[in-house]
Amino acid sequence: MIPRHLTLRLLTLMAAAATSTNLLVAQSAVTAPATAPAEEVFTLDKLDVSDVPIEQNIMPTSRPINSVYGDSRSILDTPRNVTIISREQLDAISIQDVRDFSKLTSSSYTQTNFGAPSNPTIRGQFADLFQNGMRRVVTSNGNGLPLNFNSVESVGINKGPATVVQGASFYVGGAADLTTKRPTFDRAKGSVSVTAGSFEQRRWTADYNVPISDKTAVRFSYSGEDSESYYENGHKRTQALYGALTFKPTDTYELFLNSEIFYADYVENFGINRVTQDLIDNGTYVTGINNNPAVLSGSGIPGGAAAPISGGSQNAGNVVSGFPFTNRILTDGTTQLSRRSRLIKPGDNSIGRSANFQAIQTLKVNPDFDIVNNTYFIYIKRDTESSYYYSEIVDPAWSFENRTEFRIRADKHTINTGLAFRYQEVKAYNHFFFEPASVWDLTRSRADIDASRSANFPGFGAFEVPGYPGRFAVAGTVEGDTNDSSLFSVGPFIQDNIKVTDKLALDLGARADFVQAESEDPFAREVATTLPFLGPPASYDDTSILANLNGSVTYAITEKLKAYLTYNYSENYGGAVGNGGGIKPNSTNGDFRQPSTLWELGVKQSLLNDKLFIGAALFSQKRVATQLDGSSRNFNYEGFEIEFNYQPNKNFYATFSYSYLDASSDRPQFDVGNVAFYDGVGDPADPASYAPHPDNVRFFQVDNGTGKYRIQGLPRNLWSALATYKWDSGFGV
């Protein structure tokens, strides 16, 4: 006989299904052991009806993390500052861009980056972009195609350089790991969505999941967009199709396949030129147009009187690249400029295509031994031309990476060891040597913004791009970012998590990437023929060994309160700084191997039965990075981060984050400085004699008394907060 209190508990739990309650109770009565002692009581686990479904759960403690060290572990046991952005949060604030990450995590303020950032900025530096643990992009300055967030289930934001599992990178600020959608075996289901908003925002998505059998399930997601922009002459038109398959033939083996094809026609948002503090604060814009002297045809050498200015023309005929002569702007006052204004000619745009494929195989040899093989391939082709002037052609870039991990769990050790290899090729044609951005007056006709009209265009060292009539790029011998390059690396690694005592744990990791990098100038023949005085065309061919070491101590003050100290040293790629990525043909070995050193001290606590999570970290990172002119700079990043996540039930959650960042360099960063403003004081033919003008001042701020140069474009203080309430009906605010 079942005790009375147990029967009442069952009846209470099953009240929502009264029809089946009697059946369940009857079955329980029939199957209960007839010989059970009368006093025997069966205790059931408590069922909390307010528990949050995993797809709606925003708590970082609700999911294991494997994007940092490879092995699955709790965020409390991960000695790095990590933020998990769930699908619920992605939908709640409609994340469409990596810049939106700053709304949900600390230290992730991403600059506009030529108007098309494909990688986030974390702790003031470009960060990696992963897909299910594998590197997704091949550029080296974070610029590229928009992302299709419709294929993403959650995002892990890892602060600091990659660990030994991921190895060397162009990026050391951190990583955003996109966990893509997976099929489920529960039932066939689907969803559609349509978004419409001001400034002709139009987006639509469709998602469908179906189990084919008890061993195979598939899922497809489609998204499209045809939007205009708040900013003038802007648009974004995309099409993306994502597909995934999960195959589980046995309890010990799983194959997960996913693939995406993506097309984008978009306008990069280059912003406003002639930036002064008055423009930033009050929208006050300096007006005036170029009045360079006449130029001896084809020579780039000024000669004769100043060219006449008439009809509001931008006088593109005499514009020069800025090397060795500076463009002269005759100012004629100031005016208020709409924040919607942009340095762009109507019709300028970017076209991009990409395709990727991933296969993840997991074999459970026994309960304490897993083998995971992760294979990732991505292909990218991009074309950007902006008349002010910037040109980039990536035709194409592709990367193939494979990593095998042996995950071993023993008494005191959790070991992740294995081997990774990667191969990439990039063919990039860049032209920013002739980029007199501040020549153009945005209060005049945008149709007159066209550097190609100049008698001096395309400038020194530029040649026509094969297969692209009328398009030019500067030889890699001259500016280094036009390249035809390849990179092959092999990296054995080992990461060991050691349980020293019940409270003390160590993480120790090591990796060596054996890298063979080659690069040549696609215009080598043209350089040798027309510019022989430069010497042999630039090329690079070298083998390097890049080290990656880390060590952490984690101490459990209580079961739900843990502190850690982490050290990470890594040597990383020093690639071409241009948007196409690849390896500079005029690199040196010192430029290629760029070290980074990180110290991080943190504390994490889970409270209120895992309904409140608090994480905080102090960090200091030093690194070396190549600049646009090919030189190297030493950078220093120091800061503090704190984050709160609170979700008491399935209806309400809130997040808050704050970060302080002090980012500096030992020398000014490279600046073109190819425009000078003439206020009528000095010799019009000698820009060096001009009276100081606010727009001639470069934004290289030196901290008083320190001698450090603050890195421009980064806020020292960053706050973000989000709160949402959703009724059971699904409507929320």
Side-chain angles (χ1 to χ4, degrees):
M1 179 177 180
I2 294 189
R4 176 180 175 81
H5 72 274
L6 177 57
T7 304
L8 291 174
R9 187 182 181 106
L10 284 169
L11 289 170
T12 302
L13 290 174
M14 301 303 172
T19 303
S20 61
T21 299
N22 292 333
L23 176 61
L24 286 169
V25 174
Q27 288 176 334
S28 298
V30 170
T31 58
T35 59
E39 67 275 8
E40 185 174 357
V41 176
F42 296 98
T43 303
L44 301 180
D45 290 337
K46 181 181 178 182
L47 175 64
D48 186 350
V49 296
S50 67
D51 276 352
V52 184
I54 188 62
E55 66 272 11
Q56 299 176 30
N57 202 313
I58 65 100
M59 298 302 297
T61 50
S62 66
R63 299 169 177 84
I65 298 171
N66 59 18
S67 60
V68 181
Y69 296 107
D71 59 314
S72 294
R73 59 172 79 181
S74 161
I75 192 171
L76 290 170
D77 296 321
T78 304
R80 293 281 282 267
N81 194 3
V82 182
T83 301
I84 304 297
I85 301 175
S86 67
R87 183 74 245 178
E88 177 73 16
Q89 293 165 294
L90 293 173
D91 290 337
I93 58 176
S94 188
I95 285 185
Q96 300 295 321
D97 191 292
V98 295
R99 285 170 288 192
D100 293 331
F101 291 159
S102 64
K103 302 173 186 177
L104 293 169
T105 185
S106 58
S107 296
S108 183
Y109 177 84
T110 301
Q111 303 98 318
T112 185
N113 196 355
F114 307 104
S118 61
N119 290 51
T121 297
I122 298 176
R123 293 180 174 175
Q125 308 162 74
F126 296 127
D128 264 315
L129 190 68
F130 293 152
Q131 179 172 316
N132 300 317
M134 303 294 275
R135 282 196 177 85
R136 179 182 169 105
V137 294
V138 295
T139 66
S140 53
N141 76 342
N143 177 275
L145 286 172
L147 294 182
N148 170 33
F149 279 97
N150 187 50
S151 66
V152 178
E153 191 65 47
S154 65
V155 182
I157 304 293
N158 306 328
K159 315 292 175 61
T163 65
V164 301
V165 178
Q166 296 88 22
S169 173
F170 292 107
Y171 307 109
V172 294
D177 190 9
L178 310 179
T179 300
T180 59
K181 294 177 177 178
R182 283 181 175 249
T184 61
F185 287 85
D186 52 350
R187 59 188 171 88
K189 55 188 175 182
S191 64
V192 295
S193 71
V194 176
T195 301
S198 56
F199 304 104
E200 300 184 62
Q201 297 294 299
R202 297 178 291 264
R203 298 191 297 271
W204 54 93
T205 69
D207 187 281
Y208 184 67
N209 175 90
V210 58
I212 297 175
S213 69
D214 61 348
K215 294 180 172 58
T216 307
V218 295
R219 185 171 182 176
F220 296 97
S221 289
Y222 162 75
S223 65
E225 180 170 2
D226 185 4
S227 298
E228 302 304 310
S229 174
Y230 166 82
Y231 301 105
E232 62 181 12
N233 300 318
H235 68 255
K236 183 180 178 184
R237 296 160 191 151
T238 65
Q239 301 286 335
L241 179 63
Y242 170 81
L245 177 147
T246 297
F247 177 54
K248 295 182 176 181
T250 69
D251 292 338
T252 59
Y253 176 79
E254 178 186 280
L255 171 64
F256 172 52
L257 303 176
N258 68 81
S259 182
E260 177 186 271
I261 54 175
F262 181 75
Y263 168 83
D265 173 357
Y266 58 104
V267 177
E268 296 191 353
N269 183 354
F270 294 100
I272 300 175
N273 61 359
R274 303 186 182 181
V275 179
T276 64
Q277 196 62 48
D278 200 15
L279 174 69
I280 295 171
D281 295 339
N282 306 307
T284 304
Y285 185 78
V286 178
T287 60
I289 59 178
N290 173 238
N291 73 335
N292 284 355
V295 176
L296 300 177
S297 179
S299 69
I301 301 175
I309 301 172
S310 61
S313 168
Q314 300 270 24
N315 192 25
N318 291 336
V319 169
V320 295
S321 68
F323 302 98
F325 306 104
T326 301
N327 290 286
R328 186 176 66 206
I329 305 298
L330 183 63
T331 59
D332 56 11
T334 59
T335 189
Q336 293 296 299
L337 190 69
S338 168
R339 297 290 187 180
R340 299 180 63 184
S341 300
R342 282 300 176 262
L343 177 61
I344 193 169
K345 179 181 179 179
D348 287 349
N349 71 332
S350 299
I351 300 291
R353 301 168 180 84
S354 72
N356 65 59
F357 173 81
Q358 186 171 33
I360 304 175
Q361 301 178 81
T362 303
L363 176 64
K364 295 184 177 298
V365 179
N366 60 52
D368 296 320
F369 181 28
D370 299 339
I371 301 175
V372 179
N373 182 268
N374 200 334
T375 300
Y376 186 76
F377 170 82
I378 186 167
Y379 170 93
I380 298 172
K381 185 174 182 179
R382 292 196 287 125
D383 180 2
T384 296
E385 183 177 29
S386 296
S387 300
Y388 79 87
Y389 183 81
Y390 177 80
S391 175
E392 164 202 297
I393 296 170
V394 181
D395 188 19
W398 63 272
S399 173
F400 176 86
E401 185 173 5
N402 179 274
R403 183 173 70 237
T404 300
E405 302 176 37
F406 300 93
R407 301 175 181 176
I408 305 166
R409 293 170 291 278
D411 234 4
K412 297 286 187 180
H413 297 265
T414 299
I415 298 172
N416 187 9
T417 185
L419 182 69
F421 67 87
R422 181 181 183 215
Y423 181 80
Q424 76 165 42
E425 286 191 2
V426 174
K427 183 173 284 188
Y429 299 92
N430 288 281
H431 191 188
F432 53 81
F433 197 78
F434 197 116
E435 191 178 10
S438 287
V439 160
W440 318 108
D441 186 341
L442 298 189
T443 65
R444 290 169 165 81
S445 170
R446 307 290 195 280
D448 290 331
I449 299 176
D450 193 348
S452 66
R453 295 187 201 171
S454 173
N456 305 295
F457 185 84
F460 178 75
F463 302 94
E464 191 170 43
V465 178
Y468 292 82
R471 298 288 298 278
F472 296 88
V474 174
T477 301
V478 176
E479 57 101 81
D481 289 304
T482 293
N483 71 90
D484 185 354
S485 65
S486 65
L487 182 149
F488 176 73
S489 68
V490 177
F493 62 89
I494 183 169
Q495 181 74 44
D496 189 6
N497 176 247
I498 309 168
K499 303 295 184 185
V500 180
T501 68
D502 290 342
K503 290 183 173 293
L504 182 66
L506 300 178
D507 276 283
L508 301 173
R511 173 168 173 154
D513 280 294
F514 299 84
V515 182
Q516 171 65 38
E518 298 180 6
S519 182
E520 62 181 19
D521 189 340
F523 297 119
R525 182 177 301 174
E526 289 84 349
V527 169
T529 302
T530 62
L531 303 172
F533 56 88
L534 293 178
S539 64
Y540 179 79
D541 185 351
D542 191 44
T543 300
S544 302
I545 300 177
L546 305 182
N548 191 319
L549 304 169
N550 69 69
S552 300
V553 179
T554 302
Y555 184 76
I557 302 170
T558 68
E559 182 183 357
K560 296 296 181 74
L561 172 60
K562 300 188 178 182
Y564 67 88
L565 175 65
T566 290
Y567 169 81
N568 183 278
Y569 173 80
S570 60
E571 295 174 337
N572 301 279
Y573 308 137
V577 185
N579 296 347
I583 307 299
K584 295 168 70 72
N586 56 2
S587 294
T588 66
N589 193 55
D591 289 330
F592 184 76
R593 185 186 292 109
Q594 300 185 351
S596 163
T597 302
L598 170 74
W599 285 96
E600 181 174 317
L601 175 66
V603 62
K604 303 176 183 183
Q605 184 169 22
S606 181
L607 299 163
L608 306 179
N609 293 321
D610 294 331
K611 292 179 171 58
L612 173 64
F613 177 81
I614 304 172
L618 285 165
F619 64 89
S620 176
Q621 183 179 3
K622 300 181 185 299
R623 65 168 299 200
V624 175
T626 301
Q627 302 299 288
L628 282 171
D629 61 350
S631 64
S632 294
R633 298 285 190 277
N634 295 310
F635 291 86
N636 188 59
Y637 304 86
E638 296 177 341
F640 169 74
E641 302 158 339
I642 188 167
E643 298 181 356
F644 296 83
N645 292 267
Y646 178 59
Q647 189 172 27
N649 52 53
K650 61 186 178 182
N651 301 108
F652 175 78
Y653 69 82
T655 66
F656 171 81
S657 70
Y658 166 75
S659 57
Y660 171 83
L661 177 65
D662 181 14
S664 63
S665 174
D666 61 343
R667 288 182 290 164
Q669 292 173 263
F670 175 73
D671 182 71
V672 177
N674 56 15
V675 173
F677 288 81
Y678 179 57
D679 290 341
V681 178
D683 180 0
D686 180 14
S689 72
Y690 294 0
H693 185 280
D695 206 51
N696 288 337
V697 179
R698 303 298 168 196
F699 288 86
F700 298 132
Q701 181 177 350
V702 182
D703 286 359
N704 291 333
T706 66
K708 299 186 301 183
Y709 291 86
R710 279 191 62 191
I711 297 175
Q712 57 187 359
L714 289 175
R716 271 187 165 151
N717 298 281
L718 178 66
W719 293 266
S720 68
L722 168 68
T724 182
Y725 187 87
K726 185 164 63 175
W727 285 266
D728 291 340
S729 64
F731 179 80
V733 293

